[in-house]
Amino acid sequence: NASTITGHEENTEESRKRSRPISLDEEAATKRQEARRQRKQIQQFDEMALRQIPPNKTLFIQNLPPECTDNMLVTLFQKYPGFLEVRLPPGQKLVAFVDFQNEMQSQVAMGQLQGFRITHDHPMIISFQKSRMD
């Protein structure tokens, strides 16, 4: 009985020594796996969106965190040539529109910022704005 307890204590001690690095490794592996899954999902969404909506000068941004502001988006997108403005639809905090001077410029920004994480849990999903009747 004493050997059982001692054996258990040794196993517990050994597992404590190993559990921290293993759990950190497992956590990192889980995070990497989740990031890969999200990138694949974004890529699939992006490919589907690109097939369905012709390129144009306005980007449609989805999966924004609730705390995202127009100033945050301006800071991200103003780095790209041809940037004109960011528009957040009233009452819809999780999406935005970003206008560029032409479709080539919007495509560059889309390619560079697709999947960019404003927060850890919110990779941006960028597509072209659907055609609208002017």
Side-chain angles (χ1 to χ4, degrees), residues 51-78:
R51 283 194 303 269
Q52 294 177 0
I53 303 168
N56 61 69
K57 62 183 185 173
T58 302
L59 299 177
F60 179 55
I61 317 300
Q62 297 177 82
N63 199 37
L64 296 173
E67 63 272 17
C68 185
T69 66
D70 56 347
N71 288 336
M72 292 167 86
L73 293 173
V74 167
T75 300
L76 279 176
F77 284 94
Q78 72 183 355

